[in-house]
Amino acid sequence: MISLDLAISRGDFQLALKATLDGGISAIFGPSGSGKSTTLACIAGLINPDSGSIKLDEESLFDSAARMIVPPEKRSVGLVFQDGALFPHLDVRGNIEFGAKFGTVSDRKVPPDQLMMLLDIHDLAERNIADLSGGERQRVALARSLAAGPRVLLLDEPVASLDARLRTTVLGYLKEIHRELGIPMVYVSHNVSEVIYLAEQVIVLDRGAVVAEGAPRSVLLGQGIGQPANFEDVENYLSGTLIERGSGGRSALVKVGEHEFVAPSAEHIAADDVVVTLRASDVIVATELPRAISARNVISATCVDLTESEERSFATFDVGEPLVVELTSRSITELGLAIGVSAHLVFKTTSLTLTPRGVLHSQVKISSPLPCCRYRR
Amino acid sequence: MSSEGEVILLSLRVAALAMVGLVPLSLAIAWLLVRRNPKGRWLIEAIVSMPLALPPVVIGFGLLWLFSPTGPLGKAIDGVFGGDLVFTWFAASLASAIVALPLVVRTFVIALESVDARLELASRSLGAGPWQTFAYVTIPIAARGLMAGVLIGFVRALSEFGATIVVAGNIPGQTQTLPLAIFTKIQTGDDSVAIRLVIISVVLAMVSLLIHNRLVGRLASGRSR
């Protein structure tokens, strides 16, 4: 748990923020210039606020009243930069071992070799970091931070510069790392869909102040937050497993929860673990089973959440995972949609996109806490 | 040993000692300028650049005044060490170091500026302290540029004449470095020895500059990765 009470004033930029991040995966959401990255830098100790306090699990990291500042290297807080900020003079292994060498001695540490296996970068160990792709870079940065045994992992828009394929891969890894290692994460992003997929809690910043906080779906899709009308399309990221790859132009079959989705051919994807991307506005809701229809996916599901606002309305259905559907408030009224109501969701094969999902290498799955590997400081 | 050999060895020793003192000092100044961006940056830069603008003879005269047995620092040194600095090879090193200072600091500044400050922050958040970060991240990444600075400083120290002759004199076997020996041989009409020493000077300078330019070239291409 991280308790923040920050005040910073730098010329035109003002930050005055009070918030508690509960552990699990929390997100800090907001437009650029809202103070997201500054907040992360404060937690990591790279910037010191003018006044206030920062606490991590009851331990004070910064307290202006007590004139107390814990230097960044003593905080055991891992920070993953947007582009990785990898050391150019070291190879992949050197970068990861750097974290292991200087990180705090703790039982949270995962040995570098095990991390490279987990994140599927062991083949790149001797590779120069200039020769890595964007996705590989992020995985190395992630491994480097984890090797230091952090108490919390701070992620500064780690997938913003990646294309859709790599984005879902890295998002998948983050989710699995959190599940396997139980390490709390703070995820900074301005992408609604990512935050909904990943985080359990979100605080929304605007011009250096908290304007909303709570569960990502209700906060980010709900009323009056950050002008939802301006949001890009909301996308659902659903974790799925390929049942049929579909070759020669035939459709693929993906299992999502208890349902089987018909999706475009997935010949180009090597692994079975995929992320199914489905735009919230591409789903049609019907209260009676549609017959004689070209769309190949018709699944029944129960409505678990409704967020209505003047500009945009969303209904969330349980398909094994939450699936957000965008519709007008008029449709909601006419269909008599409410929480607990069952409906049929209709979407076309071509509205689904399959991309690889990063999963930790199953043969080296680990039980945390790990036996520690001790390095001299 | 031939007198030429003696001259060359003495010159190398003087320049090497100059660099031993100069490198840590220049590194500290360059780091201060690049990473701390101090308020009086313009003043520090002006003072550091002075030896470039002044005639070396003036620097020599200043050092002579400071370190002469009756000068402010000379008295103190005499009191502590019971000896004299002027007209020793230490004085020659000191003169060379001061004349080379601006070149070394400027090259170090460029080298340190080429290191992305975020890499140092990343290192800190991984658990490395400020000194460890400097040793394991900053120095290795800036290594080429720093080497170039050391080399250009060494070449400048080797060729120092004006300040050296004033504060260290021109004593064969003690303070007579390569440029001073050439000067003496020309004065005494010993042209064949003078030419041999000139050729040695040219070769030393050429080799050093070739290595320097190679390092700087790599630095420039390395930055636009």
Side-chain angles (χ1 to χ4, degrees), chain A residues 73 77 83 86-87 89 377, chain B residues 118-119 124-125 127 136 141:
Chain A
E73 64 270 19
V77 166
D83 67 346
L86 298 175
F87 301 131
H89 61 300
R377 292 219 63 186
Chain B
R118 288 174 328 129
L119 298 176
R124 295 288 299 277
S125 81
Y136 290 99
I141 295 175

Side-chain angles (χ1 to χ4, degrees), chain B residues 64-84:
Chain B
L64 191 61
W65 173 73
L66 273 175
F67 289 101
S68 73
T70 52
L73 284 177
K75 263 186 208 158
I77 287 174
D78 194 26
V80 177
F81 299 103
D84 221 352

Side-chain angles (χ1 to χ4, degrees), chain A residues 311-364:
Chain A
E311 294 94 350
R312 294 169 83 173
S313 297
F314 299 90
T316 307
F317 291 86
D318 181 15
V319 297
E321 293 192 35
L323 176 71
V324 176
V325 178
E326 177 165 14
L327 62 184
T328 58
S329 6
R330 216 171 130 185
S331 302
I332 293 177
T333 318
E334 284 180 9
L335 289 172
L337 214 52
I339 291 173
V341 169
S342 268
H344 303 280
L345 306 178
V346 182
F347 45 93
K348 297 165 74 167
T349 304
T350 49
S351 61
L352 298 176
T353 312
L354 302 184
T355 46
R357 170 163 54 96
V359 290
L360 299 180
H361 209 287
S362 56
Q363 281 152 11
V364 282

Side-chain angles (χ1 to χ4, degrees), chain B residues 83-165:
Chain B
D84 221 352
L85 189 82
V86 290
F87 304 120
T88 64
W89 72 279
F90 277 104
S93 279
L94 186 65
S96 309
I98 287 174
V99 173
L101 177 78
L103 294 172
V104 179
V105 170
R106 279 170 183 222
T107 321
F108 280 10
V109 163
I110 294 168
L112 291 185
E113 275 173 346
S114 75
V115 180
D116 185 348
R118 288 174 328 129
L119 298 176
E120 293 171 351
L121 297 178
S123 161
R124 295 288 299 277
S125 81
L126 287 168
W131 286 105
Q132 288 168 324
T133 296
F134 193 64
Y136 290 99
V137 175
T138 314
I139 298 265
I141 295 175
R144 275 181 202 293
L146 296 177
M147 278 298 294
V150 171
L151 234 79
I152 198 81
F154 188 72
V155 172
R156 181 65 190 87
L158 267 184
S159 59
E160 171 44 29
F161 177 86
T164 311
I165 202 164

Side-chain angles (χ1 to χ4, degrees), chain B:
Chain B
M1 190 188 288
S2 70
S3 65
E4 284 102 322
E6 201 176 64
V7 166
I8 293 165
L9 274 185
L10 177 71
S11 292
L12 292 175
R13 193 169 53 159
V14 166
L17 178 70
M19 293 317 291
V20 166
L22 193 52
V23 166
L25 177 71
S26 304
L27 205 50
I29 296 173
W31 184 85
L32 185 76
L33 290 174
V34 173
R35 285 289 182 256
R36 283 290 131 110
N37 200 22
K39 277 205 179 94
R41 181 177 178 143
W42 63 274
L43 186 65
I44 300 173
E45 275 175 337
I47 293 171
V48 165
S49 299
M50 277 299 269
L52 216 53
L54 284 172
V57 175
V58 174
I59 294 164
F61 184 76
L63 289 174
L64 191 61
W65 173 73
L66 273 175
F67 289 101
S68 73
T70 52
L73 284 177
K75 263 186 208 158
I77 287 174
D78 194 26
V80 177
F81 299 103
D84 221 352
L85 189 82
V86 290
F87 304 120
T88 64
W89 72 279
F90 277 104
S93 279
L94 186 65
S96 309
I98 287 174
V99 173
L101 177 78
L103 294 172
V104 179
V105 170
R106 279 170 183 222
T107 321
F108 280 10
V109 163
I110 294 168
L112 291 185
E113 275 173 346
S114 75
V115 180
D116 185 348
R118 288 174 328 129
L119 298 176
E120 293 171 351
L121 297 178
S123 161
R124 295 288 299 277
S125 81
L126 287 168
W131 286 105
Q132 288 168 324
T133 296
F134 193 64
Y136 290 99
V137 175
T138 314
I139 298 265
I141 295 175
R144 275 181 202 293
L146 296 177
M147 278 298 294
V150 171
L151 234 79
I152 198 81
F154 188 72
V155 172
R156 181 65 190 87
L158 267 184
S159 59
E160 171 44 29
F161 177 86
T164 311
I165 202 164
V166 175
V167 75
N170 187 5
I171 310 163
Q174 286 182 44
T175 66
Q176 193 178 68
T177 57
L178 204 49
L180 296 177
I182 294 169
F183 173 74
T184 308
K185 297 301 170 198
I186 294 170
Q187 291 285 303
T188 55
D190 201 347
D191 281 3
S192 63
V193 179
I195 287 172
R196 273 211 298 273
L197 291 173
V198 164
I199 292 171
I200 291 165
S201 276
V202 170
V203 169
L204 273 176
M206 279 297 278
V207 170
S208 305
L209 285 176
L210 281 176
I211 300 172
H212 168 266
N213 290 351
R214 228 190 141 81
L215 288 172
V216 170
R218 288 242 188 99
L219 184 69
S221 62
R223 238 180 299 158
S224 59
R225 58 186 163 105

Side-chain angles (χ1 to χ4, degrees), chain A residues 9-330:
Chain A
S9 174
R10 300 265 191 285
D12 284 346
F13 178 75
Q14 309 279 335
L15 181 83
L17 174 154
K18 259 190 186 145
T20 304
L21 304 170
D22 291 329
I25 303 182
S26 328
I28 302 177
F29 178 88
S32 55
S34 59
K36 306 186 297 285
S37 300
T38 308
T39 305
L40 274 200
C42 285
I43 302 173
L46 307 181
I47 296 178
N48 288 317
D50 300 337
S51 66
S53 65
I54 302 169
K55 265 188 186 170
L56 174 61
D57 298 333
E58 297 312 305
E59 189 196 321
S60 196
L61 297 181
F62 176 87
D63 190 343
S64 62
R67 293 180 177 278
M68 212 266 278
I69 302 174
V70 176
E73 64 270 19
K74 299 253 161 65
R75 294 192 180 194
S76 291
V77 166
L79 177 60
V80 178
F81 289 81
Q82 186 171 344
D83 67 346
L86 298 175
F87 301 131
H89 61 300
L90 302 172
D91 61 9
V92 167
R93 176 185 295 279
N95 268 275
I96 297 170
E97 284 177 346
F98 191 98
K101 181 176 178 183
F102 292 108
T104 43
V105 176
S106 80
D107 55 8
R108 293 181 302 269
K109 260 183 175 172
V110 184
D113 279 307
Q114 207 163 3
L115 279 169
M116 286 192 277
M117 291 293 277
L118 280 170
L119 290 165
D120 203 21
I121 45 177
H122 51 284
D123 291 340
L124 312 174
E126 321 303 327
R127 193 84 73 83
N128 192 320
I129 64 121
D131 302 330
L132 299 179
S133 73
E136 288 165 348
R137 232 166 241 267
Q138 277 309 351
R139 275 183 280 162
V140 175
L142 208 53
R144 184 179 69 176
S145 283
L146 290 171
R151 291 186 283 181
V152 55
L153 200 57
L154 311 176
L155 302 142
D156 192 359
E157 308 211 28
V159 300
S161 55
L162 305 180
D163 65 32
R165 259 180 90 80
L166 295 173
R167 191 174 304 160
T168 57
T169 307
V170 173
L171 286 176
Y173 276 121
L174 290 177
K175 226 175 175 166
E176 290 241 324
I177 283 169
H178 177 66
R179 207 183 53 213
E180 290 295 320
L181 306 181
I183 182 169
M185 295 182 181
V186 181
Y187 186 84
V188 157
S189 175
H190 60 259
N191 182 302
V192 175
S193 316
E194 278 169 32
V195 172
I196 290 177
Y197 175 68
L198 210 58
E200 295 143 46
Q201 180 208 2
V202 63
I203 63 171
V204 181
L205 294 190
D206 193 21
R207 275 163 289 179
V210 178
V211 291
E213 57 180 306
R217 238 182 314 119
S218 53
V219 167
L220 296 180
L221 303 179
Q223 201 161 3
I225 298 312
Q227 298 91 39
N230 295 336
F231 281 164
E232 55 210 281
D233 284 325
V234 175
E235 288 181 325
N236 291 285
Y237 298 133
L238 307 168
S239 305
T241 315
L242 278 173
I243 302 170
E244 251 177 67
R245 217 162 232 99
S247 53
R250 286 189 305 131
S251 303
L253 214 52
V254 197
K255 197 169 166 82
V256 175
E258 291 303 307
H259 301 278
E260 285 178 12
F261 289 6
V262 182
S265 167
E267 279 176 295
H268 57 287
I269 299 177
D272 287 342
D273 304 290
V274 291
V275 169
V276 181
T277 305
L278 173 57
R279 227 183 279 175
S281 55
D282 280 349
V283 183
I284 293 168
V285 180
T287 42
E288 283 173 25
L289 185 66
R291 290 177 197 285
I293 186 167
S294 68
R296 299 288 307 280
N297 292 295
V298 179
I299 59 170
S300 51
T302 310
C303 178
V304 290
D305 198 9
L306 276 177
T307 47
E308 293 183 72
S309 72
E310 276 177 23
E311 294 94 350
R312 294 169 83 173
S313 297
F314 299 90
T316 307
F317 291 86
D318 181 15
V319 297
E321 293 192 35
L323 176 71
V324 176
V325 178
E326 177 165 14
L327 62 184
T328 58
S329 6
R330 216 171 130 185

